[in-house]
Amino acid sequence: MPRSQRNDNFIDKTFTVIADILLKVLPTSKREKEAFTYYRDGMSAQAEGEYAEALQNYYEALRLEIDPYDRSYILYNIGLIHTSNGEHTKALDFYYQALERNPCLPQALNNIAVIYHYRGEKAIEVGDAQASESLFDKAAEYWREAIRLAPTNYIEAQNWLKITGRLVD
């Protein structure tokens, strides 16, 4: 049974009903509707921590979806799952793919920065100051771009950039 037919959560059910109505009235192809259904089911599974199921749905949505903008969000969500699983290299790959299709995706830029910052912290732990500085500089680069796109977001990142003197190039 598709996930959309077994949601127990009121908000998920409401979203599903509204999404189904929109799919019926909007002039979209069968393929686009099917892609959206898989995407929606992926989001629902992801919200419940069912990452394997979410990935299956996202990959199917990716197979069907042809619009680059819509594909960017599918790729972004796949990146989120890999980040949650600690698979940072895979996550970066998906965030970069999302940005190739939609360069105005500040949340992908932020998540890339977070991974580089995390790696910078790990480099400090092993005593590699040179690597940590390089990784922190990379994080700063992505945070500056995310903040440029969404100036009122990422306040902690803005503070970190100010404190470390990396706010301006």
Side-chain angles (χ1 to χ4, degrees):
M1 164 185 329
R3 174 168 284 280
S4 58
Q5 294 177 1
R6 58 185 160 109
N7 283 332
D8 295 327
N9 179 309
F10 174 76
I11 293 171
D12 284 346
K13 281 183 180 179
T14 303
F15 174 76
T16 300
V17 169
I18 292 170
D20 287 341
I21 291 169
L22 286 173
L23 282 176
K24 288 177 185 169
V25 298
L26 290 176
T28 57
S29 71
K30 181 179 183 217
R31 181 184 182 115
E32 290 169 316
K33 290 176 183 179
E34 193 176 354
F36 179 77
T37 299
Y38 280 109
Y39 178 68
R40 181 191 62 210
D41 288 351
M43 288 191 315
S44 179
Q46 184 176 358
E48 293 177 14
E50 300 291 339
Y51 295 145
E53 181 182 346
L55 284 173
Q56 287 177 334
N57 282 297
Y58 287 146
Y59 285 126
E60 194 58 30
L62 205 52
R63 186 183 69 76
L64 295 165
E65 185 58 65
I66 57 174
D67 180 73
Y69 183 81
D70 292 340
R71 287 177 66 84
S72 73
Y73 283 94
I74 298 167
L75 292 162
Y76 170 76
N77 281 332
I78 293 171
L80 283 177
I81 290 172
H82 288 301
T83 300
S84 294
N85 289 336
E87 301 169 318
H88 295 155
T89 301
K90 280 185 181 179
L92 286 171
D93 181 49
F94 283 98
Y95 293 143
Y96 288 134
Q97 288 182 56
L99 287 169
E100 286 173 11
R101 288 151 184 84
N102 180 5
C104 296
L105 200 59
Q107 56 269 50
L109 293 161
N110 176 64
N111 290 0
I112 291 169
V114 167
I115 290 171
Y116 281 121
H117 185 271
Y118 172 81
R119 288 179 171 178
E121 292 287 336
K122 291 297 176 191
I124 287 173
E125 288 177 14
V126 297
D128 192 345
Q130 185 176 1
S132 72
E133 281 305 305
S134 176
L135 290 162
F136 288 150
D137 287 345
K138 199 94 163 137
E141 174 187 333
Y142 283 97
W143 268 325
R144 284 192 301 269
E145 183 62 15
I147 292 164
R148 186 187 68 75
L149 293 171
T152 60
N153 294 359
Y154 315 116
I155 302 302
E156 287 182 41
Q158 290 182 44
N159 289 337
W160 180 82
L161 290 168
K162 286 177 191 171
I163 291 168
T164 62
R166 291 180 168 93
L167 188 57
V168 182
D169 285 335

